Amino acid sequence: MELKNHWLAANKVALPRLLQWVNLRPEESERTRIMFVFYTTVCVGLRWAEDSTVALFLDKYGTNLLPWMYIASAAMSAGLVFLYSWLQKIFPLRRVIVAIAPCMLMPLVLLILLRWAWQVSYLAVISVFLLRLWVDALYVVNDLNTSIVANQLFNIREIKRTYPLVSSGLLVADVISGFSLPWLVQYTTLNKIILIACIVILLGSGILFYLTHHYRAAFPETPQRLISEEQTSRERFIKSPLKRYVWQLFAFVGLLQVIGLLVDFQYLRELQSNLGDRELASFLGLFGGMLGLCELLLQWFISSRLIERMGVFFTATLLPITVGFSLPGVLVFLHLIPAIQSQSFFWGLVIVKFCDELLRYTFVMSSGPILYQPIPEAIRSRMQTLSGGTAEAIATGLTGALIFVTLLFCGRFVPVPLQKWVLVAETMLIASACLKVVWELRSRYVELLVLSVARGHLSATNVGLRFFKQGVVKALAEKGSEADKRSCIELLAQIDSQGAAEVLAPLLFKLTPDLQRQSLEVMLMAGANPAYLAAIRPLLEQPQQTNPEVFALALRYIWLAEPNPNLSLLEEYLNPRQNSLIRATAAALVLRQGTPMQKVAATQTMRRMLTHKQERERVNGVRALREAVYLQALRIYIPNLLQDESLRVRCAVLEMIAATHLEEYYSALIAALYYKSTRSTAMSALILLENEAVEMLLQLAINIYKPEIVRMYAWRTIAQIGTQEALETLWENLESSWGTTRDHILHSLLKIHKQPGITGLVDRFYESQVENLIEQELKFLGEIYAAYIDFKTLDEKENYQSSERIVIVSELLQRALLELELDVKERLLLLLRLLYSPEKMQAAAFNLRSLSVVNLARGLEILEHTVTLSSKSLLLNTLDNRPQAEKLQHLVEAKILEYENMVVSDRLHRLLMLGNLLSDWCLACCFHFAQVTRIRLTSSEILMSLRHPTGFVREAAIAYLHLVSHRVLLQILPQLQKDPHPLVAAQVKELLEKYQFKNYN
């Protein structure tokens, strides 16, 4: 029994270590193991069948018919791929992938039986051709089947680690079949070996049936033809990028196939000219065995790590680079060695074939399924079937035709010694084209990942201004909803505010009053222009038919645009019978440009309006004052108007203060930020003040005793001011701030980061600063993980488990640390958005916040192909859903921080040293934990929390003092009686009554 327990204990240690060696995670091990066994079993049978049919084919035909074999194989494979795709439409995917292999074995068995039955020599020869052809088709379908199953079972991050191990099943099969085939050849015929291979393939299909049944939730039960239109319509917006991506993927797969077939043809031609029938089969077996051993070591211990570290596209380029550029070099080098000069081409092609197979069945095969992950899941398997299988089939046919034409051309026009070099040159050209396709494919890959989450948005950077204006004219002139037309005008104002008048002025008479008002406001924002007076004057000619708001705006536009306005005409609009808005506008214009007598009359008009009983009169009067150059005697009414019972009046006063730059009333703008009803108006007014408001807002934003929401809006207002001084203020305070304050500044910076012209500012001046901030956040994360681990494994010497209360408070503290981790992760994503494309970062953040493992992996993949920082691997490990101990280990290995296990009291002191970094709830939990565990805290730690702006933190500090130091608590309680927080005030009152009762007794 002891031996058994010892073995189990050793196994528990050995298994994680083994998984670490092969770069696999525990939750992925079972799926990977079953996939590996299935793929290995099928590939052993296929390799036996392939080597046997190759030997039979070369014995009967030689290499002369290889081009025709490639063409026939292409047609056969293309037909099977389309059949496979069609079956996915008719039947559920799980049934198709399980049934396809057994169904394809039936013709293979039939061909073997017919070969035995046929006595006529030419029929036997045809059967050899068909056997070789069908085995090639089996390979295509098996590879498609395996990659589709892998894409269903694993997400985009898992497949980088798992598929290299799964695909190594082919390499294990090479070793097994390679070393066993020469032994089988000695005891049986090649035809019987093919039948044995069929039985082995059936066994692999049985394993696949178990795998798909055990993980049936990963496979859709609905055929593709029954997928709802709603589901497919979700992917329509990425139709164009998806189409381009699939075509490039098609080209990449096809070009790789062409490279492989060109190398394979030259390799087989050399083998056929140097070896006999049985020698050829044995050589192929031994070659495959040795190659398989090398591939196996590379695939198990290097491939997945290299793909994770360097990326899928780096590994995808290794084959075309190696084969395309090493082929001529190896041939030339071997030709210079006298001992093997006569066989230099033979051994050169053996070496190149070795490199091609080594890279193809390790890095390329491992990378293949990953490239299909950005394709929406609803259509991924069918796209994979059509793109992968059809590309290989078409490439095979084209390569066969290319080889046939090349041999024909060389036989007539190229000298015999140079004929072999023509195919070498073609291989190099195809490899170069493949590299270019990979480069294009990389950009489409990330774009498609982003588009699978995000949607395209119209902006000034992606719309043609001239065509957009034409569209606005058409939209405003034709019939349509008023809301749509209003949106057109708003967008025009955002994109081209200066040129908006050119579009809107000729359309004024065709618009509704609301749209006329909006258009005139947009035109006034750009400044009154005399060129458009002719279009606006008719609005004043029929005052009864013109809306008062429109009339007032037109009046203001005309008198501001006129170089020498006749102000006497404005005096008739001061009549009390006129609409209040028109009257107020006329009075403001007179105050701006009139004679002293005219200004007196206008002042009287404005005084009556500002003190009128009707709200509309007061609002219109205040709004009109925004246009006055100076307020003269009207200033005395502002204090009363700021206290007006009408919200509309108060908001109008705030706008007027900013428009006229009344410095003595700027404090009213700051005060208005505290109230929800006036906040948006106050922000707009402060933004209008630009640099004048920055210092006031900064003092409010950095005051920790002000309400959090008010501080947040202060930072946002600074950001929306958008001047260079405001921008520098944000960046200066970003580096010195922590926690929620840093969050507020980051959100504010991101708002201006989206504006054209400011985006590049971050790249040029602040990239190193952002990188330093990211390292700071990672270091803080390390402290969080260290504290979490130490608190989770409470020091056994303290025997904390004896108290249920201590356990509860400890769990609360651990939960607070995990919530703090989430806050830091969000902050890291905000920092990354400053450096990289907002669309990509938004898509990544959306996926990372998802509870779905598939979405999480997609988000990490976007980051991997976007982030270029030296700390990229740390960021990916941190944002991944991994245990805290594993993340801490990565941070320690990167020397971000040093970790040593501490007793709980020391760890708590270390946490409190980071008090300004901790969240309020986490800080309160630290004091509650110190209280229940009776850990002695320093006076500075206690005083810091007693002065904390958050009530429940002060409450936790007082509760701690009540336990450890009654004397100190008695000294400070009288000072805390007037605490603004009701929780603290009630606590202080209770304690005072308690101590007074004790003293009385």
Side-chain angles (χ1 to χ4, degrees), residues 116-380:
W116 278 338
W118 286 337
Q119 301 298 323
V120 183
S121 60
Y122 72 86
L123 293 177
V125 171
I126 293 173
S127 67
V128 171
F129 187 89
L130 293 175
L131 276 172
R132 180 75 187 92
L133 193 62
W134 198 254
V135 170
D136 277 351
L138 266 173
Y139 256 110
V140 172
V141 172
N142 180 59
D143 288 343
L144 274 176
N145 227 21
T146 307
S147 59
I148 288 172
V149 172
N151 267 328
Q152 294 297 131
L153 286 175
F154 304 107
N155 64 48
I156 196 168
R157 299 293 292 179
E158 290 174 340
I159 208 167
K160 289 185 175 183
R161 293 183 293 271
T162 59
Y163 199 72
L165 296 173
V166 171
S167 61
S168 68
L170 177 62
L171 313 180
V172 175
D174 283 342
V175 176
I176 296 172
S177 62
F179 290 113
S180 61
L181 187 59
W183 176 78
L184 285 173
V185 168
Q186 293 178 5
Y187 293 98
T188 186
T189 62
L190 294 177
N191 290 329
K192 290 182 179 178
I193 291 173
I194 297 173
L195 286 177
I196 295 170
C198 292
I199 296 171
V200 174
I201 294 170
L202 279 176
L203 176 62
S205 299
I207 299 170
L208 179 60
F209 172 77
Y210 167 77
L211 175 69
T212 55
H213 178 74
H214 189 64
Y215 294 101
R216 55 185 174 275
F219 299 89
E221 293 291 340
T222 307
Q224 288 188 0
R225 65 185 173 87
L226 298 180
I227 294 176
S228 64
E229 291 185 6
E230 290 81 2
Q231 185 175 351
T232 54
S233 66
R234 296 173 195 163
E235 316 304 335
R236 286 178 186 168
F237 73 97
I238 60 170
K239 184 177 180 181
S240 181
L242 177 62
K243 188 176 181 180
R244 292 194 297 268
Y245 181 78
V246 170
W247 275 112
Q248 288 170 347
L249 198 54
F250 183 94
F252 172 65
V253 174
L255 289 171
L256 282 179
Q257 181 74 356
V258 173
I259 293 171
L261 290 175
L262 286 173
V263 172
D264 187 63
F265 174 76
Q266 297 170 81
Y267 165 73
L268 289 178
R269 190 164 64 167
E270 292 298 319
L271 287 184
Q272 191 265 336
S273 62
N274 286 275
L275 301 173
D277 179 7
R278 286 182 172 269
E279 288 177 341
L280 181 59
S282 298
F283 178 85
L284 288 173
L286 291 172
F287 179 83
M290 290 185 292
L291 177 64
L293 285 174
C294 295
E295 289 173 333
L296 206 54
L297 293 173
L298 191 65
Q299 192 76 325
W300 279 0
F301 302 109
I302 298 175
S303 184
S304 63
R305 287 181 171 84
L306 190 66
I307 292 173
E308 264 198 311
R309 185 173 296 274
M310 303 303 295
V312 62
F313 293 98
F314 173 82
T315 54
T317 59
L318 290 177
L319 187 144
I321 289 174
T322 304
V323 174
F325 295 100
S326 68
L327 178 58
V330 169
L331 294 175
V332 171
F333 175 75
L334 292 177
H335 190 72
L336 297 176
I337 302 174
I340 58 172
Q341 193 173 44
S342 60
Q343 290 188 313
S344 61
F345 237 88
F346 171 75
W347 289 112
L349 281 165
V350 169
I351 293 171
V352 172
K353 177 67 175 176
F354 186 90
C355 293
D356 178 77
E357 295 267 332
L358 182 67
L359 297 173
R360 185 178 298 274
Y361 294 106
T362 54
F363 297 132
V364 173
M365 178 175 279
S366 302
S367 305
I370 303 170
L371 298 175
Y372 291 94
Q373 283 284 335
I375 298 174
E377 189 176 355
I379 57 173
R380 184 189 301 151

Side-chain angles (χ1 to χ4, degrees), residues 900-943:
E900 58 176 338
N901 187 259
M902 295 182 180
V903 295
V904 176
S905 57
D906 291 345
R907 180 58 68 184
L908 188 67
H909 282 296
R910 188 174 178 87
L911 258 185
L912 289 173
M913 286 173 62
L914 305 170
N916 59 331
L917 307 183
L918 302 179
S919 65
D920 297 344
W921 174 239
C922 186
L923 188 59
C925 287
C926 288
F927 273 88
H928 287 304
F929 186 77
Q931 178 189 355
V932 296
T933 55
R934 297 182 181 274
I935 294 174
R936 203 78 182 171
L937 299 180
T938 65
S939 57
S940 62
E941 291 168 347
I942 298 169
L943 286 173

Side-chain angles (χ1 to χ4, degrees), residues 651-665:
C651 290
V653 175
L654 295 175
E655 292 172 351
M656 182 269 294
I657 290 171
T660 55
H661 294 267
L662 292 176
E663 294 184 14
E664 62 267 37
Y665 293 106

Side-chain angles (χ1 to χ4, degrees), residues 41-160:
T41 306
V42 173
C43 287
V44 167
L46 282 174
R47 184 61 83 182
W48 281 345
E50 181 192 26
D51 289 345
S52 301
T53 54
V54 166
L56 288 171
F57 181 85
L58 292 178
D59 182 52
K60 296 293 182 183
Y61 299 106
T63 59
N64 293 329
L65 287 182
L66 275 179
W68 294 106
M69 169 60 70
Y70 293 152
I71 295 171
S73 177
M76 175 74 73
S77 299
L80 285 173
V81 165
F82 281 109
L83 174 65
Y84 191 32
S85 175
W86 177 76
L87 288 173
Q88 290 179 36
K89 284 185 172 183
I90 305 302
F91 302 103
L93 182 63
R94 189 166 69 89
R95 295 184 188 177
V96 175
I97 60 179
V98 171
I100 193 71
C103 291
M104 288 196 66
L105 287 178
M106 294 170 61
L108 191 62
V109 175
L110 183 62
L111 285 171
I112 294 294
L113 295 177
L114 289 175
R115 177 173 164 74
W116 278 338
W118 286 337
Q119 301 298 323
V120 183
S121 60
Y122 72 86
L123 293 177
V125 171
I126 293 173
S127 67
V128 171
F129 187 89
L130 293 175
L131 276 172
R132 180 75 187 92
L133 193 62
W134 198 254
V135 170
D136 277 351
L138 266 173
Y139 256 110
V140 172
V141 172
N142 180 59
D143 288 343
L144 274 176
N145 227 21
T146 307
S147 59
I148 288 172
V149 172
N151 267 328
Q152 294 297 131
L153 286 175
F154 304 107
N155 64 48
I156 196 168
R157 299 293 292 179
E158 290 174 340
I159 208 167
K160 289 185 175 183

